[in-house]
Amino acid sequence: MRLTYTADLWWKNAVVYCLDVETYKDGNGDGIGDFRGLTQEIDHLRRLGVTCIWLMPFFPTPDRDDGYDITDFYSVDPRLGTLGDFVEFMRTAKDRGMRVIADLVVNHTSDEHPWFKEARASRDSARRDWYVWQDEPDPVDPKTIVFPDKEDSIWEFDEKTGQYYLHTFYRFQPDLNVNNPEVRDEIARILGFWMELGLSGFRVDAVPFLIEGVGGDPHEFLADLRAFMNRRDGTSILLGEVNLPYPELMKYFGEGNGDEVTMCFDFIGMQRFHLSMARRNPRALAEALRERPKAPDDSQWATFARNHDELTLDKLTDAERQEVFDAFGPEKDMRLFGRGLRRRLPPMLGGDPRRLKLAYSVLFSLPGTPVLFYGEEIGLGENLEAEGRMAVRVPMQWSTSGGFSPDPKVSVPSPDGEYGPRNVNVDDQRRDPGSLLRWIMLLIERYRESPELAWGDYEVLEAGDDAVLAHRTDAEGGTVIAVHNFADREAGVELALSGLGHCDVLVDLLVDGSLDLRSDGRVTFTLEPYGTRWLRASVADAPPEDTSALSQ
């Protein structure tokens, strides 16, 4: 594919890296990560191959919900730096060829935000209607409570004005009233402000909750936001957290028009991936890939193995969820809200490097745009002594001594033992050719060299063994086939490939070597336990730059 063509829609084959400034790198020695520290370590992301940095909330906050309770949408939390530090970070990221997006958390504010303080001062306040109030709220369905371990309702009584305010999440996070045109205008101003400072878009938090109470057509609000962003910068994006079944989720792309959310996370595929890993059988993931609708032409699916929240399993059946719990979260303290795991992937897989390399090979070969959570590239562990979701939001580990901060008093300590800094860190893995870091660097390089994986049409193939997931992606005459063995045994693979034109070999993209294609398009080979192969259809002895056009 022409690079000038694919570069226009940069998000279609980006490598997105999510990080929390607070836990990434301390630049002033106070035990808290900040923009100066992040900027100093930005070359780690460049070497890794990251093309887009996703910043978790960095705004002023009382920090009762790890920054998702915001008191000012137009500034930087003083603990993390200043607007000047932010601009310097943005300039440096641009210099290194990386775009930056940030969390857009406009479902609610902190109850300490000046807007809410004014709103609750009187029923006649000018900002009263910026929030949602009722005299007597309707009975609450317990299933609608997002954090059942902390809350028993989504309404909180305000003593001074004698009404209840809506809080979809915690009681200290009153919901904004997005039905109010003034609120919508303010949200657009927030987007415009940060775009002027260089952001290429936003990850929209909990999109269905954001538009849930919107009167009329709720999707008109998303389309208006997207149109506003396109007017300001046609290359900007909205990355949506939309954890819904595929048929319902497609509405958030804009019903085939691609004029609402630019990218949606594939929560269904992620949950089926973990079920497949637990079973050591890829059937559940293969079914999800077959079920997943095609995104609109200029839109994309965002794929991930782990994110910054609990690993939600809410779209699995009760029996399937229990299978994953039994395999990866056997202790009650490893689970959260009865629907997810508060664990990172390496401890879930018992530290088995073969399964870790398999997992990330699957991630980067899946059709879509891969998203990494900071530390995944080195196999960062969790700290189950931390509360709730904070278990996975541990400090980044740069060296054998930790390297995050000279101050030992950090909000969430690093893991001990097997996953502590002495055994898991960037410095050591950069020098180890067999490390997880080097493996993920290779996967990113090959992913970026294989536009078929992000742009192409895909098909799940019969592989001749139930333990093997095989899929092919095709785009503009190029074909890449990815084959993965989910079992702890050898697997015999037989593929029947058609439509490959003059191609007579499959060139291995991850190791040196190739496989001969028979005249009938069949190929057979053996995969080692948890083995992986990425194969490009080619002609024997063809130069690499010519192979993407040989099946035309």
Side-chain angles (χ1 to χ4, degrees), residues 64 106 119 169 176 196 217 240 254 275 306 325 341 409 478 487 510 518 550:
R64 298 177 67 185
V106 290
F169 297 93
L176 283 165
E196 287 299 312
D217 181 3
L275 179 60
R306 195 66 186 85
F325 281 165
L341 294 167
K409 297 178 182 177
L510 300 180
R518 299 203 299 261
L550 288 170

Side-chain angles (χ1 to χ4, degrees), residues 1-10 455 476:
M1 298 184 71
R2 298 192 313 276
L3 197 60
T4 51
Y5 175 64
T6 60
D8 284 345
L9 304 180
W10 62 268
W455 287 80
E476 292 194 2

Side-chain angles (χ1 to χ4, degrees), residues 138 441 485 534:
D138 297 328
M441 290 172 69
N485 179 9
W534 290 19

